[in-house]
């Protein structure tokens, strides 16, 4: 029997357990700037099924969470138009960490320090399981799309752009 790498609980996994939301844990070797693509490669997952968690803000500096395919970028113009704001930009690393309570590279949409609206790329919701960060670098969790909607009130958007 192979032994899986032990991962201590994170605020995200504690929240999911407390609310009896099923999830699976998947560890990988974190690589700086490797992102969701590197996690997918190491775990043998489709990068389109791995969601990266991005902390962004609107023109009034109000933070929001965007969950995007690991192999796509966010069209901030399309996103802004769909969510009814003038402009959306990525937060600085420091600001993202302040809002989420997680280190960049380990940001989970669950149990963020600040309550923020969550937007998810609509096509991700078509998968039976979505793999997203579990609150620590080198750790993904598999959850159902229903968990994102139920726990986070995630709203679908269509703002993904294929990376060139």
């Amino acid at each position: 029997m192979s032994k899986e790498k032990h991962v201590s609980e994170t605020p995200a996994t504690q929240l999911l357990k407390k609310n009896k939301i099923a999830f699976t844990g998947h560890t990988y070797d974190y690589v700086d700037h490797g992102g969701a693509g590197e996690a997918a490669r190491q775990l043998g997952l489709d990068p389109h099924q791995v969601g990266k968690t991005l902390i962004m803000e609107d023109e009034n500096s109000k933070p929001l969470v965007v969950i995007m395919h690991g192999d796509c970028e966010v069209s901030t113009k399309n996103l802004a138009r769909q969510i009814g704001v003038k402009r959306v930009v990525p937060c600085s690393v420091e600001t993202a960490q302040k809002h989420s309570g997680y280190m960049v590279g380990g940001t989970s949409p669950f149990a963020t320090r600040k309550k923020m609206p969550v937007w998810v790329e609509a096509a991700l919701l078509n998968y039976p399981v979505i793999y997203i960060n579990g609150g620590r670098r080198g750790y993904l969790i598999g959850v159902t799309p229903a968990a994102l909607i139920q726990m986070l009130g995630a709203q679908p958007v269509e703002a993904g752009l294929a990376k060139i």
Side-chain angles (χ1 to χ4, degrees):
M1 184 148 96
S2 68
K3 212 171 165 144
E4 264 194 47
K5 188 174 163 185
H6 173 74
V7 177
S8 57
E9 286 196 348
T10 66
T13 60
Q14 288 173 343
L15 177 72
L16 292 170
K17 285 179 180 178
K18 178 181 165 196
N19 288 280
K20 297 179 176 40
I21 302 291
F23 67 92
T24 56
H26 309 271
T27 58
Y28 64 96
D29 294 323
Y30 178 78
V31 175
D32 271 338
H33 307 292
E38 178 62 20
R41 187 190 68 74
Q42 287 188 37
L43 294 170
L45 300 170
D46 175 354
H48 212 60
Q49 191 174 359
V50 176
K52 55 186 172 187
T53 305
L54 305 166
I55 308 298
M56 299 188 154
E57 58 189 14
D58 68 15
E59 70 276 5
N60 298 313
S61 299
K62 289 187 178 161
L64 56 114
V65 176
V66 178
I67 302 171
M68 179 54 65
H69 295 289
D71 58 355
C72 292
E73 295 176 357
V74 175
S75 166
T76 55
K77 285 183 181 179
N78 285 345
L79 179 63
R81 191 176 314 114
Q82 290 179 55
I83 67 173
V85 298
K86 289 182 184 172
R87 184 173 64 97
V88 174
V89 295
C91 289
S92 69
V93 169
E94 297 79 21
T95 302
Q97 291 177 171
K98 184 180 79 174
H99 290 319
S100 72
Y102 295 108
M103 287 181 70
V104 168
T107 304
S108 177
F110 295 104
T112 54
R113 178 176 291 151
K114 186 178 266 191
K115 181 119 173 91
M116 297 176 271
V118 178
W119 305 93
V120 59
E121 182 63 22
L124 271 169
L125 300 174
N126 295 328
Y127 287 101
V129 174
I130 302 168
Y131 297 91
I132 57 177
N133 200 287
R136 174 170 285 114
R137 289 176 171 180
Y139 182 57
L140 294 184
I141 56 174
V143 296
T144 64
L148 293 178
I149 295 165
Q150 177 186 343
M151 293 296 302
L152 303 173
Q155 296 292 312
V157 291
E158 292 181 7
L161 295 172
K163 285 185 184 176
I164 299 171

